[in-house]
Amino acid sequence: MEPVRLSVLDRSRTREGHTHPEALRDTVRLARELEQLGYHRIWVSEHHGVPGVAGSAPTVLAAAVAGATRSIRVGTGGVMLPNHRPLVVAEQFGVLESLFPGRIDMGLGRSVGFTDGVRRALGRDKGDAEDFEAQLGELLGWFRGTSPTGVHARPAEGLSVPPFVLAMGEGAGIAARAGLPMVIGDLRNRDRMRRGIDHYRDRFRPSPWAAEPYVVISGTIAVADTRDEARRLLIPEAWSMAYSRTHGTFPPLPPAERVEALTMTGKERGFYESGLTGHIAGTEEQVAHELATVLKETGAQEVLVTTSTYDREALLDSYRRLAAITSG
């Protein structure tokens, strides 16, 4: 397939029998390995109160990742802007860009916690997501020094940290109106993804941040010797999602063999099987063909891989194989 810009979002997923600190160190270690493989960027995520995710402070983790690497771009996928004051976010990214100039990305999302309890703990409610577009404008204003408050964001003002909008729901229109690059997923719903991309491109307004549309498609991709081996990489995350849908909590990733030995309820089985479908998984040849098709259909300039699994060595091998087939 034709060469494509390839990046990774690592959610710092915890694993059964392993600690939260191990999950964070796994992310830092993966960043070094991805850098050696030629990946363009690595992003980290923001989740609060989730047993299966250690990454709760993305700008802090991004600093650790950037400090452990030399050339790969580092960013967030994303900072959930409704959870924070835009001034504080600008200051954090200003510090990151000052410490690691030319390597920092500012991926921004509009989610507000997964549960009522988390939202109460954050002092937010679901309606705060509706203010995302205004919060985004305020955030960008801190970098340009246009705040009507007379306050200046130090050291952010005057710096250029590339912003990206994580497009879920209304995100495509917001990204287009703001003239920002857009990250859209997932690969499991191709029709919806294409509609979002078309909406974004049709309504894009050039801005100081981007002269033309820039589309990053995101989703789970797994590569192995056989399709069955690649599919086994998807099993831990599929079960965690199924468990969260049926028990109300998102657990650490279990080994694939434990999941395969489980006796599931009909409801659990339905969510589990659904979680295994729609992803790009297979041999190098199979993945190359399917990924090339998606890129042709979407015209995307970049792929952000979001795969999570229990077996970190198998995950690295998958990333190694993917890099080989997308480098031309």
Side-chain angles (χ1 to χ4, degrees):
M1 60 177 292
E2 292 294 321
V4 62
R5 186 173 277 180
L6 200 61
S7 300
V8 167
L9 168 64
D10 191 77
R11 294 189 175 91
S12 302
R13 293 285 277 112
T14 55
R15 298 178 290 155
E16 286 186 0
H18 298 266
T19 65
H20 285 94
E22 284 181 277
L24 295 171
R25 289 192 289 268
D26 282 343
T27 295
V28 176
R29 187 179 305 112
L30 178 64
R32 294 194 194 101
E33 292 161 337
L34 293 173
E35 183 173 68
Q36 293 177 357
L37 291 172
Y39 278 73
H40 183 59
R41 57 180 118 237
I42 178 168
W43 283 2
V44 296
S45 63
E46 174 183 338
H47 295 280
H48 300 283
V50 181
V53 182
S56 56
T59 54
V60 177
L61 183 53
V65 169
T69 54
R70 299 183 63 183
S71 59
I72 193 170
R73 296 194 64 87
V74 179
T76 55
V79 164
M80 297 302 150
L81 196 50
N83 293 338
H84 311 280
R85 293 302 307 164
L87 170 61
V88 176
V89 175
E91 291 171 337
Q92 290 173 347
F93 279 97
V95 169
L96 285 170
E97 176 64 21
S98 298
L99 292 172
F100 309 102
R103 292 180 56 204
I104 301 300
D105 300 322
M106 187 168 58
L108 305 162
R110 63 194 296 269
S111 296
V112 191
F114 286 133
T115 66
D116 289 338
V118 169
R119 288 189 286 270
R120 284 195 300 272
L122 291 169
R124 300 292 188 269
D125 58 44
K126 288 183 178 180
D128 288 318
E130 301 307 313
D131 297 329
F132 175 71
E133 189 165 8
Q135 294 165 338
L136 178 63
E138 181 183 342
L139 172 61
L140 299 180
W142 288 115
F143 285 91
R144 303 190 68 197
T146 58
S147 172
T149 64
V151 176
H152 297 275
R154 312 291 188 199
E157 188 173 310
L159 298 180
S160 181
V161 182
F164 295 74
V165 171
L166 277 60
M168 302 297 290
E170 296 299 315
I174 292 171
R177 288 190 293 274
L180 300 182
M182 177 184 71
V183 182
I184 188 167
D186 62 42
L187 294 171
R188 300 174 62 197
N189 193 333
R190 310 283 174 85
D191 288 339
R192 182 184 179 190
M193 186 172 67
R194 284 193 295 268
R195 288 195 300 271
I197 292 171
D198 289 344
H199 181 88
Y200 168 70
R201 289 199 176 109
D202 289 345
R203 291 160 177 79
F204 183 86
R205 301 173 183 170
S207 75
W209 304 96
E212 56 189 25
Y214 187 89
V215 174
V216 183
I217 56 172
S218 68
T220 295
I221 302 176
V223 194
D225 274 334
T226 67
R227 187 182 289 276
D228 285 344
E229 287 180 27
R231 184 179 179 276
R232 290 193 87 243
L233 287 172
L234 310 179
I235 287 175
E237 182 79 2
W239 170 246
S240 288
M241 291 296 296
Y243 190 92
S244 72
R245 296 286 183 87
T246 52
H247 295 78
T249 185
F250 199 67
L253 295 170
E257 54 268 22
R258 190 176 80 72
V259 178
E260 292 172 323
L262 288 174
T263 300
M264 300 182 193
T265 67
K267 192 173 183 180
E268 288 172 340
R269 175 66 65 179
F271 282 124
Y272 170 67
E273 294 293 347
S274 175
L276 291 173
T277 62
H279 307 292
I280 296 179
T283 64
E284 283 96 329
E285 184 177 0
Q286 291 165 337
V287 168
H289 174 73
E290 189 167 357
L291 187 55
T293 299
V294 175
L295 289 168
K296 183 177 181 180
E297 291 174 351
T298 61
Q301 290 98 328
E302 186 173 341
V303 179
L304 181 70
V305 188
T306 62
T307 309
S308 296
T309 194
Y310 180 88
D311 188 337
R312 297 293 291 192
E313 288 303 315
L315 178 63
L316 178 59
D317 182 64
S318 176
Y319 282 135
R320 187 180 294 115
R321 293 170 184 265
L322 182 59
I325 65 176
T326 56
S327 60

